[in-house]
Amino acid sequence: MTRSERTVDVLIVGAGPAGLTAASRLAGVGAVEVLEREAQTGGIPRHCHLGGFGLRTGPQYARRLTGEAARAGARLRTSVTVTDWAGPRTLDTTGPHGLERITARAVVLATGARERPRSARLVPGTRPAGVLTTGELQQTVHLHGRRPGTRAVVVGAEPVAHSAVRTLLGAGVEVAAMVTDLPHHQAPPTDAADTRLRRGVPLLTRTTVAELLGRGRLSGVAIRHADGREAVIACDTVVFTGDFVPENELPRRGGLLLDPGTRGPTVDPAFRTTGPGVFAAGNLLHGAEPALSAAREGARAAAAVLRHLDGAPWPAEQIPVRAEDPLLWVAPQRISPGSPHHFLLRTAQFLTRAHLVVRQDGRILHHQRLPRTVVPNRSLTISGNWVDRADPRGGTVIFSTEQRST
Amino acid sequence: MTVTTAGALPEEIYDVVVVGAGVVGSAIARELARHPLRTAVVEASDDVGDATSKANTAILHTGFDAVPGSLESRLVREGQQRLAAYAAESGIPVEPVGALLVAWDDEQLAALPALADKAERNGYRDARIIGADEVYRREPHLGPGALAALDVPGESIICPWTTTLAYATQAVRAGVDLHLNCRVEGFGRAEELHRLHTARGTVRARYLVNAAGLHSDTVDRALGHHDFTVTPRRGQLLVFDKFARELVHHILLPVPTALGKGVLVAPTVYGNVLLGPTAENRDDRTATHTTAEGIALLREKGRRIVPALLDEEVTTVYAGLRAATEHDDFQIHAHPEQRYVTVGGIRSTGLTASMAIAAYVTELLAGAGLDLGEARDLDPVRMPNLGEAFPRPYQRAELIAADPEYGVLVCHCERVSRGEIRDALAGPVPPASLDGLRRRTRARGGRCQGFYCGAAVRELFVRRAELRG
């Protein structure tokens, strides 16, 4: 088998907001190459025509990041897929020009996240056409200009679900309802009000999809409310939204330690994984954050990569960090006292008037009042100005919540 | 090459018409294609292997646990050898992983010697009982409590989709007419000819083979026979992500009890892990939907067999219907006076037995007066490789150098190239749907279920259809 081999300074996997931003910042220091398996760079914003990108649409934002990275001197390669590892910082690729083996002084994984499909959510029923995720919906409408169906049900009520509703309505698809198993929507109130009041899409809370119906094409979804009431909504399209999971194949294949909460690789505040010289940034680390957050992480990771290329030592021992139920996850998952940073935190259920308590070996390192309502599917940012109090030789730092009377 | 999907059927009188293009019907068509006969296959669905054959446990059986002396035992044993050889020749993915029948309690432990004995009586001599230590050495992720196992090294996993498609492709290339979207609605006879009234007109043939699977008893009754009744037995299955593959090395079978064969855990040739099937008798021959109860039951069983499996993501959930009957054997009967052979009650071993069934049915047709003429060897067929154990196109530098389309991956989870999708769409038996395309390439069959590739794959499919008009 012929596989051409070469070396670069920095190899970035994934040309979404995180990967492209990292590339822009690193391109001045040496040979920086970005590998993108899709035919175009830009990642998810390529097919997000709606807001969330400052004053731009997603495609405009994707083009801007691409231009910046290219102008900075990064080599952007599309339709090139990383298939496996051949060493700690060596990756095998497949592309139209053949097979390659590329070794780098630093590797940045920025492969993003995807939505869990119907099957992973174990929704029973038939297997008809017309069952999508938001990602497939947006590509169908925005990249290929095709109408996905005539009448849809959207499963989920987080920001991405509202975006799916707008894509459907824009494509001329009637939206019969949004369905969430949680007691409230999880979007900014203005978005939720816009969907429900102005666009007239009803929201069914504490409701699950019990079964998909139809042969050949979807004919409806059976829904079940928490009190046992059941109904069938006729539709030919159902979109499963949100419920993001990191695209973690490469970190897993590479034996990097993953966080059971995020299912992405664990990192420290400098975006270092457990593989020396291997960094990870963006939505690969934690389901979906907005594109601008992913880009910010790409920039911060680039700074850490520069320090690494300058010879900064790879940390040996760090303090592990984890979140306790009902918190879903916290990132980063390893810290060293001394470097200021912040944490991202996600909850599995709505929390009202909760307090956050951070402990190490039973000792309280930090506590604070959380916002009045903490919403699932949206992250909280927690300051890390207390990490100096952690004992470098102590046990795991645990994030938990408490209800306190106020 | 003739594959029709719409329009009127040919006027010609066929020597043989086979009803049903499942794995068995397609195998029969392929076998008949070796002879100078005019053969047609009529299939209600828009694709081959679209019912029972597409949704099974994908195992190439040794037949060790058949009823000794039964027709099934003989045909499975013969079929296993024939299909293993055919797979090697035509590129059907097969992995000889072996099976372990794991005993979890004293009753099951006590049943192992009888099973080993039964294997011997079925002509399979490699089965042996191994102790718990060896079981755990070979399957370290097995749940606690396994007492022993019957080791059946000859059991393999196979790709059922490629098998059916290889048979159909070879048959069509050798001159068999395949009429899809061609549901048979009535039977008649005139001037010694079978007249099959279908949704697309009438087909005439001198000999008739009923390989109608779940509907084989209905066809049989229409021809005046009441030998068996099909009770569709639903099997729901979960397919776990490829990351689960390293948890399971063998086909992990339960020890069969009075209640049936039970739930297995097995690797697939695509690199996933299968958990299932349930066994639910249904009245509805189209009840291939999955249920919350079925999924919950499988998860409970799976958690005992390989606990870590349940932490992995589920790639897909599906259900198939087996054509169970009240009999403990295949229902293959010749009716020479009618120039008719029925091939009913073919259960999960039908995939393994398919080539032997085809040879047997051809003999029965000859016995019923059909002049087979001189048999010839068919041009070999080489199928696209869907198996993880063999080099896939994305790994083959020489293939990509010759045609860069094999280096452009469209479906990322399953690593399917644009070249493979193009080839499948242009194949002799082209897919009629995205599901058919998935069964030919794996495109859209991976963990993201279309999040990344769904729209692009659909675009390739739709454009091809638009091109064809």
Side-chain angles (χ1 to χ4, degrees):
Chain A
M1 187 175 290
T2 342
R3 193 179 273 285
S4 65
E5 298 194 26
R6 53 199 182 80
T7 47
V8 296
D9 291 305
V10 183
L11 191 60
I12 298 173
V13 185
L20 288 173
T21 306
S24 298
R25 306 293 172 99
L26 289 164
V29 301
V32 174
E33 186 165 319
V34 185
L35 302 177
E36 171 55 54
R37 63 188 189 180
E38 297 288 344
Q40 274 92 35
T41 54
I44 298 291
R46 283 175 306 136
H47 47 78
C48 286
H49 279 237
L50 307 160
F53 308 95
L55 295 173
R56 296 174 184 81
T57 66
Q60 287 168 340
Y61 184 64
R63 280 193 293 275
R64 193 191 110 190
L65 293 183
T66 301
E68 284 173 358
R71 277 194 300 280
R75 185 175 175 208
L76 307 182
R77 298 175 67 209
T78 54
S79 295
V80 176
T81 303
V82 174
T83 56
D84 212 345
W85 300 79
R89 291 182 315 283
T90 304
L91 294 168
D92 281 351
T93 72
T94 290
H97 304 294
L99 310 184
E100 283 185 290
R101 177 162 293 172
I102 308 170
T103 301
R105 293 169 63 207
V107 171
V108 181
L109 302 177
T111 52
R114 62 186 164 82
E115 291 160 299
R116 275 204 180 82
R118 169 262 181 110
S119 50
R121 303 183 192 205
L122 301 178
V123 176
T126 55
R127 297 209 296 162
V131 183
L132 312 173
T133 47
T134 315
E136 185 173 359
L137 167 74
Q138 289 179 340
Q139 293 188 43
T140 302
V141 173
H142 298 311
L143 295 188
H144 300 290
R146 300 211 183 247
R147 189 180 173 201
T150 61
R151 183 176 152 92
V153 167
V154 171
V155 184
E158 77 303 326
V160 171
H162 292 270
S163 162
V165 166
R166 290 199 289 279
T167 298
L168 286 164
L169 294 174
V173 181
E174 179 191 352
V175 181
M178 296 176 86
V179 174
T180 177
D181 58 348
L182 292 168
H184 310 287
H185 71 81
Q186 306 110 57
T190 46
D191 283 1
D194 179 74
T195 304
R196 200 164 56 83
L197 300 175
R198 192 166 78 79
R199 301 173 196 264
V201 176
L203 171 66
L204 308 175
T205 56
R206 297 183 207 272
T207 300
T208 54
V209 176
E211 190 178 348
L212 301 191
L213 310 168
R215 308 207 157 271
R217 180 79 196 194
L218 185 75
S219 64
V221 296
I223 54 164
R224 186 180 297 129
H225 194 259
D227 64 10
R229 281 178 293 145
E230 294 186 12
V232 170
I233 307 177
C235 59
D236 63 5
T237 304
V238 59
V239 186
F240 287 89
T241 73
D243 195 358
F244 280 90
V245 59
E247 183 69 351
N248 61 11
E249 178 170 4
L250 266 185
R252 255 192 105 167
R253 285 178 88 101
L256 305 180
L257 185 66
L258 300 194
D259 179 65
T262 62
R263 296 197 174 238
T266 68
V267 287
D268 69 5
F271 299 91
R272 289 176 289 208
T273 69
T274 51
V278 181
F279 296 78
N283 285 335
L284 167 63
L285 296 181
H286 39 56
E289 296 291 316
L292 298 178
S293 312
R296 268 197 301 278
E297 285 192 358
R300 286 165 50 212
V305 171
L306 286 174
R307 290 195 294 277
H308 170 71
L309 295 176
D310 281 346
W314 204 259
E317 293 281 309
Q318 291 179 307
I319 312 166
V321 177
R322 70 175 169 85
E324 234 171 34
D325 189 52
L327 297 175
L328 206 54
W329 50 256
V330 59
Q333 295 89 356
R334 277 172 287 120
I335 53 171
S336 311
S339 55
H341 61 271
H342 61 265
F343 293 88
L344 275 187
L345 194 62
R346 200 75 76 88
T347 170
Q349 62 196 53
F350 283 93
L351 303 176
T352 313
R353 297 179 199 286
H355 284 247
L356 173 71
V357 186
V358 184
R359 290 188 180 83
Q360 184 187 32
D361 302 323
R363 188 167 61 93
I364 294 181
L365 298 179
H366 172 71
H367 69 89
Q368 72 176 82
R369 188 187 300 204
L370 291 176
R372 192 168 178 282
T373 306
V374 183
V375 180
N377 293 318
R378 283 165 64 189
S379 294
L380 271 182
T381 305
I382 303 293
S383 163
N385 57 10
W386 45 266
V387 295
D388 277 345
R389 282 177 232 148
D391 175 0
R393 282 165 299 280
T396 303
V397 169
I398 297 169
F399 281 58
S400 58
T401 57
E402 288 177 3
Q403 300 291 327
R404 293 185 185 178
S405 51
T406 48
Chain B
M1 282 198 286
T2 309
V3 179
T4 72
T5 56
L9 295 169
E11 290 283 326
E12 74 174 293
I13 294 167
Y14 289 105
D15 292 311
V16 188
V17 161
V18 180
V19 180
V23 72
V24 170
S26 299
I28 293 168
R30 180 197 161 275
E31 186 65 34
L32 291 172
R34 298 176 61 234
H35 299 274
L37 299 167
R38 281 298 290 149
T39 302
V41 184
V42 292
E43 165 58 49
S45 168
D46 59 13
D47 201 358
V48 298
D50 195 37
T52 299
S53 303
K54 77 178 177 194
N56 52 40
T57 46
I59 294 172
L60 182 58
H61 293 281
T62 56
F64 79 93
D65 59 348
V67 176
S70 64
L71 180 64
E72 183 179 12
S73 163
R74 191 188 110 198
L75 294 180
V76 169
R77 195 165 60 244
E78 278 178 31
Q80 195 268 346
Q81 286 161 13
R82 281 175 182 258
L83 182 49
Y86 182 69
E89 169 195 312
S90 48
I92 297 167
V94 172
E95 276 186 69
V97 292
L100 297 176
L101 270 85
V102 182
W104 297 95
D105 61 31
D106 290 338
E107 189 195 344
Q108 292 172 8
L109 184 63
L112 290 185
L115 281 162
D117 179 55
K118 193 179 189 183
E120 288 265 336
R121 284 188 288 145
N122 278 314
Y124 184 74
R125 299 183 205 293
D126 295 336
R128 66 187 183 100
I129 295 168
I130 59 173
D133 287 353
E134 189 174 345
V135 172
Y136 283 104
R137 197 168 64 242
R138 288 167 60 176
E139 285 290 358
H141 298 282
L142 205 63
L147 303 174
L150 183 70
D151 175 25
V152 190
E155 296 273 302
S156 305
I157 53 176
I158 186 168
C159 174
W161 307 326
T162 310
T163 304
T164 307
L165 189 64
Y167 293 157
T169 301
Q170 215 176 9
V172 166
R173 280 192 181 147
V176 171
D177 287 358
L178 173 60
H179 302 302
L180 301 168
N181 293 318
C182 196
R183 182 181 299 281
V184 180
E185 292 164 345
F187 295 88
R189 274 181 83 97
E191 299 148 25
E192 294 300 298
L193 292 178
H194 289 280
R195 298 175 66 86
L196 278 66
H197 307 297
T198 82
R200 293 173 48 200
T202 300
V203 184
R204 293 177 296 167
R206 293 165 55 228
Y207 287 80
L208 175 63
V209 176
N210 166 9
L214 291 164
H215 303 281
S216 52
D217 60 339
T218 311
V219 173
D220 219 30
R221 289 210 172 93
L223 285 142
H225 305 284
H226 297 266
D227 296 335
F228 63 95
T229 300
V230 170
T231 304
R233 184 170 296 161
R234 179 165 61 195
Q236 303 186 41
L237 296 111
L238 299 182
V239 179
F240 286 88
D241 192 277
K242 294 177 202 310
F243 284 118
R245 180 65 180 80
E246 63 194 40
L247 300 173
V248 180
H249 303 291
H250 304 78
I251 303 162
L252 298 172
L253 299 168
V255 175
T257 64
L259 295 171
K261 281 190 168 183
V263 170
L264 62 82
V265 171
T268 76
V269 292
Y270 324 111
N272 301 82
V273 174
L274 206 63
L275 167 64
T278 59
E280 313 154 55
N281 286 343
R282 311 287 307 176
D283 299 326
D284 180 359
R285 294 174 196 222
T286 62
T288 54
H289 57 279
T290 54
T291 63
E293 298 73 28
I295 294 169
L297 173 89
L298 291 178
R299 287 175 61 80
E300 180 198 321
K301 300 261 185 198
R303 195 177 296 284
R304 173 155 191 201
I305 303 167
V306 182
L309 190 59
L310 277 296
D311 295 332
E312 297 295 342
E313 297 270 1
V314 169
T315 302
T316 189
V317 185
Y318 69 92
L321 296 172
R322 293 96 101 182
T325 70
E326 68 275 37
H327 302 285
D328 220 2
D329 203 350
F330 289 166
Q331 295 298 300
I332 303 180
H333 306 293
H335 303 283
E337 71 292 350
Q338 275 181 303
R339 295 179 178 160
Y340 168 59
V341 176
T342 187
V343 190
I346 308 297
R347 300 170 298 197
S348 64
T349 49
L351 169 61
T352 303
S354 52
M355 292 187 87
I357 293 173
Y360 180 59
V361 167
T362 305
E363 274 173 38
L364 293 178
L365 285 168
L370 175 65
D371 180 6
L372 294 174
E374 189 90 359
R376 58 175 174 137
D377 285 338
L378 296 174
D379 284 341
V381 63
R382 192 72 201 167
M383 302 303 291
N385 169 41
L386 303 190
E388 284 294 292
F390 310 89
R392 304 261 316 282
Y394 81 88
Q395 297 165 309
R396 295 174 57 191
E398 82 293 352
L399 197 65
I400 297 168
D403 184 349
E405 288 289 287
Y406 294 112
V408 181
L409 302 197
V410 178
C411 167
H412 305 298
C413 303
E414 296 296 310
R415 297 182 176 168
V416 183
S417 65
R418 206 158 60 194
E420 291 163 274
I421 292 173
R422 173 202 63 198
D423 294 351
L425 292 173
V429 185
S433 65
L434 285 175
D435 284 345
L437 181 62
R438 172 170 49 79
R439 293 195 291 273
R440 285 159 176 79
T441 62
R442 290 171 42 174
R444 229 169 170 277
R447 59 173 69 98
C448 92
Q449 292 282 299
F451 176 92
Y452 291 115
C453 72
V457 172
R458 191 179 318 109
E459 194 62 21
L460 292 173
F461 179 80
V462 170
R463 275 205 205 142
R464 173 79 197 176
E466 285 168 351
L467 213 66
R468 273 207 207 99

